[in-house]
Amino acid sequence: MSQNVSSVPAIRLDGVTKDFGSVHAVKGIDLRIHPGEVVAFLGPNGAGKTTTIDMILGLSHPTAGSAEVLGLKPRQAVARGLVSAVMQTGGLLKDLTVRETVAYTASLFADTRPVDDVLESAGITHIADRRVGKCSGGEQQRLRFAMALLPDPALLLLDEPTTGMDVEGRRTFWSTIRKDSEKGRTVLFATHYLEEADQYADRIVLIANGTIVADGSGSEIKALASGRTVRATVEDDPRRIADELRTLPGVDEVELRGDSVRVHAKDSDAVARYLLNQTTARDLEIEAKGIEEAFLSLTGDSEHPHEHEEMSR
Amino acid sequence: MSATTTTTYDPNTRRVPPLGGFNLTLLGIELRRMLRNRRTVVFTLIMPIALALIFTNQKGAEDSAGSGNVAAYILISIALYAAALTACANGAMVALERATGWSRQLRLTPLSPVAYILVKATMALIMGGVAIAVVNVVGAIEGKAVMPTHVWILSALLGLVCTVTFAALGVFVGYIVPGENAMQILGPGLAALSFLGGVFIPLSTYNDVVRNIAYWTPMYGVAQISRAPLTHDLPWFAIVNAVAWFAIFVAGAAWRMSKDTARV
């Protein structure tokens, strides 16, 4: 691996924003993704995932900030076959056969893998002569995947890639993706399933309301999501109270500024109960981080079962 | 180093395709796709043949017209109409492919938007050319039409050039009328414009009012131009008419497309 190639990030977003009229879909994203990483772009519907992916592909331009792919402008990278994508919205021509669709796409690149190889690795050789209009949703998704693999891309973007696939199809799909990433391919996939992100990604970037609210490994992200922050004013002996707070179960972090104490804990109720019952603390506030809100719609929260049901419908 | 064993990707080894991705494989697949479509085959091949056979068997088809006969005049007109209709249908497909998301899919490849339009324009010309050729071959076999060979060839080529106007019209209307409804408007619309523009019936048979309107309609100019080698009659306002409508339809198509691109 040569030095200058590996030091260029596969994706570099600097202060990227995107407005649609008065709607701020993306509100300032900074992101570096390194070659060979498999990254999940996790967030609820409407978080700005697709809008961000569109900008990485050069399908739309940021309102402010800049997007770069392998050190190139997005469209330059697409023209060289360095980036490809499987998008939710990409249509197919119903009156072409599966093989014709792949051959059509292959003819557009300067260098491509052989059509038959790609059909084979996407598992659609047996339906190669079938009209696209007669293929199931899962088969069409595998066709889109075959088309994306044609140029042997260095970066593959997948927007909700396993929609419409059954469990078996999903497993085969991800094992193919993982195998390719071992060869150095970078993969960024958008999903609104925490489980899928946790299972298949090296790194999870959590996005909500157009900003990145967390970035880390699966276990780091899950740990973050389970806590809340409690704030209070403690005038009597704040140091002693802070020390005692640290001994409470589930407390991650205690911060003291003057007479204001800030506690991050998995069990915020226990912290609040302690502060109110055993100290003279006042002005108590419990706040969920932005991440909490995002997670509610991703995983469901036992406190809000109805809310979750509505979202999953 | 082969692509499958590489452990890293070097952007410097990657090439951009020539001509923005325009290539012959693409044209071949598009052509096959067209010829598989029953509707296209009916409009491009069968209907024009039927029209040509019916009209050239009318009474008076053997009367002389310019450097040939009336049957030759009719043959050139029908060929133009068939090519225009085919080009329209091709143009309308651009909007349809946009609506179904195929153009967005193509944006994930190196194909440039200009090359895409070039592919569609080439397809419109090829299919228009097939329509013209079919009508002329049938006319030649039928043997009613009489005109010098160079007139035959020149008229066919002029008709082909004129079809570009209608490819642009197809794109324009395709964007305004969503989905497959575009051809339901363009089909009858083009037939009406052809009657009005003197493609099927000579303008001299109309009264003054209708004729004065006809001079301003889109089929008039192109019909006069493609028949000029036979009739030796090409008024200046026919050329102005053809150029003006070409400009209007291309501008309209470009305008609707650029509005649409903002959303892709």
Side-chain angles (χ1 to χ4, degrees):
Chain A
M1 205 185 272
S2 81
Q3 200 56 44
N4 62 342
V5 171
S6 57
S7 61
V8 175
I11 298 176
R12 196 171 64 88
L13 299 178
D14 281 325
V16 166
T17 69
K18 182 70 182 178
D19 299 342
F20 296 106
S22 61
V23 179
H24 307 297
V26 172
K27 298 172 190 162
I29 284 187
D30 294 290
L31 183 66
R32 294 235 175 335
I33 290 176
H34 303 289
E37 275 189 308
V38 177
V39 179
F41 220 24
L42 179 67
N45 292 327
K49 300 185 297 269
T50 302
T51 309
T52 307
I53 288 183
D54 276 2
M55 290 188 281
I56 296 170
L57 287 166
L59 291 175
S60 68
H61 296 289
T63 306
S66 71
E68 240 178 45
V69 176
L70 297 143
L72 299 169
K73 288 205 180 86
R75 291 313 303 175
Q76 291 177 331
V78 170
R80 283 166 177 75
L82 285 163
V83 198
S84 63
V86 180
M87 303 294 278
Q88 268 178 306
T89 48
L92 296 166
L93 293 177
K94 287 194 179 113
D95 49 346
L96 289 184
T97 66
V98 168
R99 185 192 303 277
E100 280 172 340
T101 307
V102 177
Y104 190 116
T105 311
S107 78
L108 302 173
F109 291 96
D111 307 282
T112 57
R113 292 173 56 192
V115 169
D116 286 327
D117 284 10
V118 167
L119 288 172
E120 184 67 46
S121 58
I124 47 175
T125 308
H126 63 290
I127 53 164
D129 295 321
R130 192 180 295 175
R131 294 275 174 92
V132 172
K134 295 214 162 75
C135 294
S136 72
E139 286 167 345
Q140 292 190 0
Q141 194 66 356
R142 273 189 274 169
L143 170 57
R144 289 196 190 92
F145 182 52
M147 292 157 80
L149 291 182
L150 275 169
D152 188 22
L155 170 65
L156 184 59
L157 298 173
L158 307 162
D159 195 0
E160 309 278 350
T162 56
T163 308
M165 285 189 193
D166 54 21
V167 179
E168 185 49 39
R170 217 168 269 213
R171 198 170 303 141
T172 331
F173 175 82
W174 282 115
S175 81
T176 316
I177 295 281
R178 294 294 328 192
K179 224 187 303 163
D180 284 339
S181 75
E182 281 158 22
K183 293 182 214 147
R185 176 172 299 151
T186 314
V187 178
L188 175 68
F189 68 95
T191 180
H192 58 268
Y193 296 114
L194 174 62
E195 205 190 316
E196 191 168 52
D198 188 31
Q199 215 166 340
Y200 299 109
D202 306 326
R203 173 180 164 198
I204 296 176
V205 174
L206 187 65
I207 176 169
N209 298 318
T211 51
I212 292 175
V213 290
D215 185 343
S217 72
S219 52
E220 282 168 354
I221 295 287
K222 282 194 289 188
L224 267 176
S226 55
R228 290 194 185 131
T229 304
V230 181
R231 247 183 246 274
T233 308
V234 281
E235 279 159 352
D236 298 335
D237 205 356
R239 283 183 179 283
R240 182 187 58 81
I241 291 171
D243 286 340
E244 269 180 43
L245 279 169
R246 287 192 182 92
T247 65
L248 287 178
V251 170
D252 305 324
E253 202 187 328
V254 178
E255 207 182 285
L256 191 63
R257 275 205 197 125
D259 57 1
S260 163
V261 67
R262 206 175 137 273
V263 186
H264 186 262
K266 286 184 188 66
D267 188 354
S268 54
D269 294 341
V271 174
R273 204 170 286 126
Y274 164 78
L275 284 170
L276 292 174
N277 290 338
Q278 303 182 28
T279 73
T280 56
R282 56 183 173 80
D283 299 338
L284 185 124
E285 280 173 25
I286 301 180
E287 97 179 346
K289 285 191 182 175
I291 190 172
E292 173 102 356
E293 196 190 321
F295 261 91
L296 274 179
S297 52
L298 294 171
T299 58
D301 187 286
S302 52
E303 289 166 45
H304 309 281
H306 298 296
E307 209 173 298
H308 176 58
E309 255 172 52
E310 256 164 55
M311 294 223 164
S312 59
R313 234 172 250 158
Chain B
M1 210 198 308
S2 96
T4 44
T5 56
T6 181
T7 52
T8 185
Y9 292 89
D10 184 357
N12 302 319
T13 62
R14 297 302 189 103
R15 296 177 298 151
V16 176
L19 309 174
F22 185 92
N23 68 82
L24 292 177
T25 309
L26 205 60
L27 286 181
I29 294 174
E30 285 278 9
L31 196 62
R32 232 184 305 163
R33 181 178 167 219
M34 285 288 168
L35 295 176
R36 268 203 309 245
N37 186 328
R38 220 168 284 141
R39 203 191 213 179
T40 313
V41 171
V42 170
F43 276 122
T44 313
L45 307 175
I46 298 171
M47 194 195 63
I49 293 174
L51 284 178
L53 290 177
I54 293 166
F55 281 94
T56 52
N57 277 299
Q58 280 177 323
K59 230 175 83 187
E62 273 135 35
D63 296 354
S64 93
S67 50
N69 65 4
V70 171
Y73 181 101
I74 291 169
L75 208 61
I76 295 169
S77 304
I78 300 288
L80 173 72
Y81 168 70
L85 187 61
T86 306
C88 249
N90 269 277
M93 274 178 58
V94 172
L96 192 63
E97 289 183 1
R98 204 131 205 162
T100 56
W102 176 247
S103 338
R104 192 180 154 91
Q105 183 69 44
L106 290 176
R107 293 286 285 152
L108 305 176
T109 73
L111 185 67
S112 78
V114 175
Y116 173 75
I117 288 304
L118 212 60
V119 169
K120 291 294 161 193
T122 311
M123 284 310 298
L125 278 177
I126 292 175
M127 294 304 288
V130 169
I132 291 175
V134 163
V135 170
N136 281 304
V137 167
V138 167
I141 294 168
E142 186 197 20
K144 299 256 173 167
V146 176
M147 56 182 148
T149 313
H150 74 273
V151 171
W152 212 305
I153 295 168
L154 205 55
S155 297
L157 288 179
L158 285 171
L160 188 58
V161 171
C162 291
T163 58
V164 177
T165 300
F166 297 94
L169 173 65
V171 175
F172 187 24
V173 175
Y175 274 114
I176 295 171
V177 187
E180 294 176 7
N181 296 332
M183 274 321 283
Q184 260 132 31
I185 289 180
L186 285 168
L190 210 60
L193 287 175
S194 298
F195 272 109
L196 195 55
V199 175
F200 296 138
I201 300 167
L203 284 185
S204 53
T205 60
Y206 291 147
N207 69 37
D208 283 351
V209 178
V210 178
R211 195 162 54 240
N212 279 319
I213 295 171
Y215 290 148
W216 296 88
T217 61
M219 268 293 186
Y220 169 73
V222 291
Q224 287 291 328
I225 289 174
S226 52
R227 288 188 303 236
L230 178 76
T231 58
H232 309 293
D233 172 29
L234 185 58
W236 63 269
F237 47 86
I239 297 174
V240 173
N241 173 302
V243 172
W245 281 109
F246 172 75
I248 289 169
F249 292 152
V250 168
W255 169 55
R256 294 311 304 181
M257 267 178 102
S258 65
K259 284 201 91 157
D260 193 64
T261 321
R263 163 170 83 72
V264 170

